[in-house]
Amino acid sequence: MKVYELKHNDSSMELNTLDWDHELASDFNGEAKAKIWTPTKVKTLYKKKYSDFPRLIIGKPIMKGNVKKVFEAHISREVELLPLIHDELELYVVNITNVLDCVDWNRSDVRRYSDGDWAGFNKLVFDFSKIPSDTYMFKIKETALVKVYVTDLFKTIVEKQKFKGLNFSIVYDSEFTQEKEDEQQRLYNIALEEIDRNKGEESSYDNARRLVDQGEAMASGPWKMQLDQQGQFWLGELLKDLSYQWIMPAYIPPVLLLKSWHKVARSEI
């Protein structure tokens, strides 16, 4: 089994709510809302390319009507599909009520407050024996307010139906044992050492950005920036599987402005 964090790609339509006092703006922590729900209006902020899974900026999953029709029979016991109002589209917010106790606390790297209470995950590992094999969507209680997870059953339907707008790059694999994790980390460290060992003249961020505009690719540790063939700027981060995860950033994280950058080979984006 594989589990993915439900995330949107940069080409998904973006929506906002019009009524901040409505239940849509409340916490979605796994509790049912259907009995108190009334449809509320949302508006398009940015139309973009894909509308199958619009991104609501306050963080709740949204499905278009045709997507709901495909998924409803599969996920009805795990979610509530609550209607929204939109000027052009039939939309539903997905309230995930399937909250599982499936964290592998022995392998997960946990941040804790001084009193010992849970504060967050540096690394999350699932105990897949606690995730039923017919699961499509779920939350865990520790992150129920902010994260939704889906399985390969969900992903398979998305791909079969050619629905667009989701990013399945954050993956958790039941076959990814501790031994495989250690080996992946070893290879990742080697890749970072190779990047550092082969760096030539270093530049400040501002100089590096000018070189990027001239067609160069620049790297600093796991970070890389370059233009695509259309001249658009992309920022990439080297993942543990040695691929780059690329985004078109709305802003540059301040920590990257202080790093030294050097020329590297361009990537295919």
Side-chain angles (χ1 to χ4, degrees), residues 203-219 224-228 231-235 248-252 256-257 259-263:
S203 302
S204 66
Y205 174 82
D206 289 339
N207 288 335
R209 187 65 177 83
R210 282 192 284 271
L211 289 170
V212 167
D213 288 339
Q214 296 170 16
E216 299 287 352
M218 305 295 291
K224 187 174 184 178
M225 53 184 180
Q226 68 175 68
L227 305 182
D228 62 18
Q232 295 177 306
F233 177 79
W234 291 84
L235 179 67
M248 298 178 67
Y251 71 97
I252 301 298
L256 298 187
L257 302 178
K259 291 184 176 294
S260 296
W261 299 77
H262 57 94
K263 293 181 183 179

Side-chain angles (χ1 to χ4, degrees), residues 36 58 70 72 80 128 163 166 176 179 212 248:
I36 60 173
I58 55 175
V70 171
E72 193 165 18
E80 295 174 331
F128 285 88
F163 294 141
L166 295 180
F176 192 57
E179 291 75 15
V212 167
M248 298 178 67

Side-chain angles (χ1 to χ4, degrees), residues 76-217:
S76 59
R77 61 185 175 80
E78 300 173 344
V79 311
E80 295 174 331
L81 296 166
L82 308 173
L84 298 169
I85 300 170
H86 187 270
D87 287 339
E88 300 175 5
L89 302 175
E90 178 187 351
L91 298 175
Y92 298 83
V93 62
V94 185
N95 179 33
I96 294 87
T97 56
N98 184 31
V99 181
L100 301 181
D101 180 11
C102 59
V103 175
D104 185 336
W105 294 102
N106 291 323
R107 291 181 61 193
S108 296
D109 183 4
V110 180
R111 297 192 306 277
R112 296 192 181 277
Y113 294 112
S114 57
D115 62 1
D117 287 345
W118 178 87
F121 292 108
N122 294 319
K123 181 186 71 174
L124 171 62
V125 179
F126 289 111
D127 181 345
F128 285 88
S129 68
K130 297 180 179 179
I131 304 176
S133 60
D134 58 350
T135 300
Y136 286 80
M137 305 185 76
F138 69 95
K139 291 183 173 184
I140 59 175
K141 65 178 182 179
E142 291 78 14
T143 61
L145 292 178
V146 293
K147 292 187 184 296
V148 175
Y149 298 98
V150 300
T151 68
D152 35 14
L153 295 178
F154 181 97
K155 181 173 180 284
T156 296
I157 293 177
V158 169
E159 293 173 342
K160 182 178 180 180
Q161 297 293 326
K162 295 182 169 55
F163 294 141
K164 303 295 184 182
L166 295 180
N167 177 347
F168 293 107
S169 63
I170 300 180
V171 58
Y172 306 85
D173 192 339
S174 61
E175 297 182 2
F176 192 57
T177 62
Q178 184 65 56
E179 291 75 15
K180 290 182 179 180
E181 183 179 354
D182 292 343
E183 176 64 9
Q184 184 187 63
Q185 184 65 52
R186 186 184 71 83
L187 295 175
Y188 180 76
N189 291 339
I190 290 174
L192 289 180
E193 291 170 1
E194 187 72 12
I195 292 172
D196 190 63
R197 184 165 49 248
N198 292 329
K199 65 184 179 184
E201 181 180 353
E202 294 186 293
S203 302
S204 66
Y205 174 82
D206 289 339
N207 288 335
R209 187 65 177 83
R210 282 192 284 271
L211 289 170
V212 167
D213 288 339
Q214 296 170 16
E216 299 287 352

Side-chain angles (χ1 to χ4, degrees), residues 6-23:
L6 187 66
K7 297 180 73 67
H8 295 84
N9 67 32
D10 291 334
S11 297
S12 289
M13 171 185 282
E14 295 187 15
L15 306 173
N16 200 2
T17 181
L18 293 178
D19 183 359
W20 290 93
D21 294 322
H22 189 272
E23 193 67 21

